[in-house]
Amino acid sequence: MFTGCGTALVTPFRKDLSLDEAAMRRLVQRQIRAGINFLVPCGTTGENPTLSRAEHLRVLFEQRLEAAQVRFLQGEAAPALRVSIEQTPSQLVFTASVPSDGSTNVVIEDVARSLVGSDERPSNAIRIEKELLWQQEATILSAVLLGVSTGAEKKMILLTEDALAIYGEAQGNWKLQTTKTLPGPKQPPRSARGQLLLAEENMDRVGILLPGRRCEANLADDSPIACAGGGSDWPAGRLLSLPACGAQAWWLKSDGTDWTAEDRLFLRSSGAAKESAPVAEWNVPGAVFSIGAGSNAASAAVVVRSLSTGNYEVYRIELACTN
């Protein structure tokens, strides 16, 4: 039983929803200096759906070590910290071996299992669903799907080597509505690259990222595409979310750097390390050229060049819960 004064701590997160460990340590140290008797992490401010189990354990353990006057260092000068975890029916027992001045201090802390919770949802709680929307022989560099209100016409925008093509869906078929020519020289076919960008606050304007320049197209009128020189900060993937499957977000990315080989599309938690296993994946029968915006936060438009047919294909990728 705890006695004295305790603080229910908030859990700080970075913009990508991963745990901000440095900010968390500052919060803990401030409470310890103030004379607080105990800390209640992850207890009252709704962090549990966002924290992975590993992050939850790390929050609890690091706060216990801080309270035991164990300080954390970063960089090459930081000593190796060996940690073991033993599970009992009611507790998790953490043992940390901390090198200090030629000797090793051992710190043992226990945490009630009820504070940690459990992974009630299996690791495959999210899956990737795919639907082939379009295919053609001519090169497609990028594609986006416009989010529309119920009953309104769906739109798909394709970026080719020399134009922007706007399609509308009618009775299950995509029909070309208009095209806008890209100004400037055409890219070499073997090295052509481009990415469409959507601004949620203005769906009538589409950004076009090309090597060495940025362009903008107004979909609401017949005005030409305007371009200007600028660096190309290519997106590494697309961040997706599906509240029905949990509060976290997932990165949709591809492995490929070779556009002549089969690729893999995978989904990984936004706070997970790069080497961690994906939560879902799709072995693509071709090269992934780009990952663009879908019609909602849980979808994306993916351009693939099929190795079997040579066609460029546009897939709608949608997140779905497995349970």
Side-chain angles (χ1 to χ4, degrees), residues 35-239:
I36 291 297
N37 299 108
F38 62 90
L39 302 173
V40 184
C42 312
T44 61
T45 52
E47 301 94 328
N48 283 307
T50 307
L51 284 172
S52 67
R53 181 177 173 83
E55 288 177 330
H56 202 153
L57 287 171
R58 190 161 66 248
V59 169
L60 290 169
F61 186 41
E62 291 192 358
Q63 289 181 356
R64 290 299 184 98
L65 290 180
E66 290 281 1
Q69 303 302 309
V70 175
R71 295 293 176 255
F72 294 89
L73 299 177
Q74 295 182 351
E76 297 180 357
L81 174 65
R82 294 191 175 185
V83 178
S84 64
I85 302 176
E86 180 183 353
Q87 301 190 46
T88 72
S90 60
Q91 293 180 322
L92 294 175
V93 181
F94 297 87
T95 303
S97 300
V98 187
S100 176
D101 298 328
S103 61
T104 300
N105 297 326
V106 176
V107 178
I108 300 177
E109 292 290 337
D110 58 83
V111 176
R113 292 177 67 96
S114 59
L115 292 178
V116 180
S118 61
D119 288 334
E120 297 180 357
R121 183 175 287 126
S123 59
N124 62 342
I126 194 84
R127 69 176 185 272
I128 296 174
E129 293 186 344
K130 57 187 182 296
E131 178 187 3
L132 178 62
L133 299 180
W134 185 261
Q135 56 182 327
Q136 64 182 46
E137 292 184 12
T139 302
I140 301 175
L141 300 178
S142 182
V144 294
L145 302 172
L146 293 186
V148 294
S149 57
T150 304
E153 183 184 37
K154 297 179 181 178
K155 290 185 180 293
M156 175 175 64
I157 304 174
L158 304 183
L159 175 64
T160 68
E161 292 175 297
D162 53 12
L164 199 66
I166 296 94
Y167 290 80
E169 188 184 45
Q171 299 179 344
N173 297 314
W174 293 99
K175 294 186 177 181
L176 180 63
Q177 294 180 335
T178 186
T179 60
K180 288 177 176 281
T181 303
L182 280 174
K186 185 176 179 179
Q187 296 185 61
R190 289 185 174 273
S191 60
R193 189 179 186 187
Q195 180 74 46
L196 294 176
L197 306 171
L198 283 181
E200 295 182 3
E201 64 275 9
N202 189 350
M203 302 298 286
D204 287 332
R205 291 188 176 275
V206 177
I208 306 170
L209 191 61
L210 298 169
R213 57 183 177 146
R214 294 172 178 265
C215 307
E216 186 175 276
N218 190 337
L219 304 180
D221 57 34
D222 296 330
S223 61
I225 296 175
C227 295
S232 300
D233 188 12
W234 300 101
R238 183 148 187 88
L239 194 62

Side-chain angles (χ1 to χ4, degrees), residues 266-278:
F266 62 89
L267 201 65
R268 181 176 287 139
S269 174
S270 62
K274 292 182 179 179
E275 63 274 10
S276 62

